[in-house]
Amino acid sequence: MTSTFRLGGAQLYGRDDNESWEAFEAAIGALEGGRALAFSSGMAAVTAVLECLPVGATVVVASDAYNGTRRWCADAARRGRLGVRLVDVADPTGVVAACEGAHLVWLESPTNPCLVVADLAAITAGAHRLGVTVVVDNTLATPLLQRPLAIGADIVVHSVTKWLAGHSDLVMGCAVTADPGRFDALRERRSLGGGIPGSVEAWLALRGVRTLPARLLRAQATAGELAARLGSHLAVERVRYPGLASDPGYAVARRQMDGPGAMVSIDVVGGAAPADRVCAAVEILTPATSLGGVETTIERRARYAFEEAVPPGLLRISVGQEDVEDLWEDLDRSLNRALSDPA
Ligand SMILES: Cc1ncc(COP(=O)(O)O)c(C=O)c1O
């Protein structure tokens, strides 16, 4: 808890150095297989990575990447800062083709909120042949389930706010790389931009990381059970969960992940209005944005601007620590109500 250090030690000033960040960074760096830098939010980490690009650079971006990342890129394109090409990450050939002449490809896998799985090995190999930097937002999988640097990616980013910290009580981000040059460039961005976390946040986030396996593996088991049951619910048109054999991302997820994670998205029969009724009816699930906390959250993503490509009736469910039967009873009842109420 200091801004100021006695000169001559390892730390210089509170915008450059902090021992609580360093403890958090050591843990995440070890888990991801690189060196980590903590930021004030996931978006501050996104900003630092993209601001390392020269003006006029072209970025290839997952078309259903997190809303904030796409908005950042669209804003940069509007201001002439970057050229942006949107791609469907489920199609590795198309992604690599779009990398021709680009500087960086921004992947997310699984994506938020459609849970599309990108073949990281195929895209990374193709992008590297073209000299393109590969960034993976690993927020939804976490290093417990997926380690993109080991697959060949150059930089990993996280919204630490989510699974890593895990208790919906802080906002924080990080970027991780094994490349010393990229690390120095990102550290310089952080010192100049000032997107630093508070020391209390870093301490809390590290405490959260200590229980990541206990939280995420339990939530994943619950998510798998709910996904299977939701698949035969009359009010559900489609379940999106890479742990289901019927999911288009299943085979790639089996290959590159150690588990499908604890996010489940469903397309509610009838679209936006019934989906909104589900969110209004739930009592154990919490209607809220954000994800990765101990409480299960549910949200109709298309209610937001910039989510036009998301089906209007898609509900994103971030499964938490509650009992699976309590969650199922709540979801089943709320979905039945959505079916029976007039549109
Ligand atoms: C996948 C993903 N990346 C990045 C972010 C941005 O993180 P933050 O909200 O911590 O700035 C989010 C936030 O929802 C996210 O879901």
Side-chain angles (χ1 to χ4, degrees):
M1 293 285 279
T2 186
S3 61
T4 309
F5 300 90
R6 183 179 290 272
L7 285 176
Q11 284 91 15
L12 180 66
Y13 175 57
R15 184 158 33 77
D16 305 295
D17 305 293
N18 177 281
E19 288 186 356
S20 302
W21 311 344
E22 286 164 19
F24 171 80
E25 290 166 349
I28 299 302
L31 291 171
E32 288 284 10
R35 286 176 73 197
L37 284 160
F39 286 86
S40 53
S41 66
M43 285 312 297
V46 170
T47 300
V49 171
L50 291 172
E51 282 196 341
C52 287
L53 291 170
V55 171
T58 294
V59 292
V60 175
V61 183
S63 57
D64 60 347
Y66 168 61
N67 170 313
T69 307
R70 287 183 293 108
R71 265 166 57 205
W72 199 104
C73 291
D75 174 67
R78 237 185 341 267
R79 292 184 294 115
R81 171 78 180 74
L82 294 178
V84 177
R85 297 176 189 157
L86 294 179
V87 287
D88 173 6
V89 292
D91 168 21
T93 312
V95 176
V96 174
C99 284
E100 189 76 51
H103 286 69
L104 181 148
V105 55
W106 191 282
L107 303 173
E108 212 176 277
S109 188
T111 58
N112 175 10
C114 292
L115 306 183
V116 175
V117 176
D119 185 335
L120 298 180
I123 296 174
T124 300
H128 281 170
R129 272 197 298 277
L130 297 167
V132 175
T133 299
V134 178
V135 181
V136 178
D137 184 329
N138 203 26
T139 298
L140 264 58
T142 85
L144 189 71
L145 304 179
Q146 175 172 275
R147 288 162 299 281
L149 298 183
I151 300 174
D154 301 296
I155 301 173
V156 161
V157 299
H158 280 280
S159 171
V160 174
T161 316
K162 311 296 184 331
W163 293 103
L164 290 179
H167 295 75
S168 311
D169 51 8
L170 62 91
V171 175
M172 204 175 126
C174 73
V176 196
T177 179
D179 177 315
R182 294 185 199 281
F183 179 85
D184 289 346
L186 287 167
R187 190 176 154 84
E188 178 81 343
R189 283 293 107 214
R190 183 178 68 179
S191 284
L192 292 177
I196 55 162
S199 52
V200 174
E201 279 77 0
W203 174 79
L204 271 174
L206 180 58
R207 189 169 76 171
V209 169
R210 292 190 181 114
T211 56
L212 177 66
R215 288 182 288 106
L216 185 51
L217 297 182
R218 175 182 161 94
Q220 178 176 259
T222 307
E225 182 61 33
L226 292 177
R229 294 189 196 182
L230 284 163
S232 48
H233 199 288
L234 281 178
V236 176
E237 194 176 301
R238 175 175 172 190
V239 181
R240 299 164 191 257
Y241 184 61
L244 291 177
S246 55
D247 192 88
Y250 178 75
V252 177
R254 284 278 296 218
R255 203 164 61 232
Q256 78 186 12
M257 300 177 76
D258 291 331
M263 304 293 303
V264 180
S265 290
I266 54 174
D267 297 29
V268 176
V269 171
D276 278 338
R277 287 201 295 273
V278 175
C279 294
V282 288
E283 287 172 4
I284 299 210
L285 285 84
T286 306
T289 198
S290 201
L291 57 99
V294 291
E295 58 291 294
T296 300
T297 53
I298 185 166
E299 183 176 44
R300 190 174 73 79
R301 288 300 292 176
R303 70 203 298 271
Y304 297 109
F306 236 79
E307 295 284 31
E308 289 74 20
V310 175
L314 181 141
L315 294 178
R316 184 189 70 191
I317 302 167
S318 169
V319 178
Q321 301 301 305
E322 303 90 336
D323 185 84
V324 63
E325 297 305 334
D326 286 345
L327 290 172
W328 174 246
E329 198 182 286
D330 198 27
L331 269 172
D332 182 39
R333 183 187 48 75
S334 305
L335 284 162
N336 286 337
R337 183 171 303 177
L339 264 186
S340 58
D341 277 4

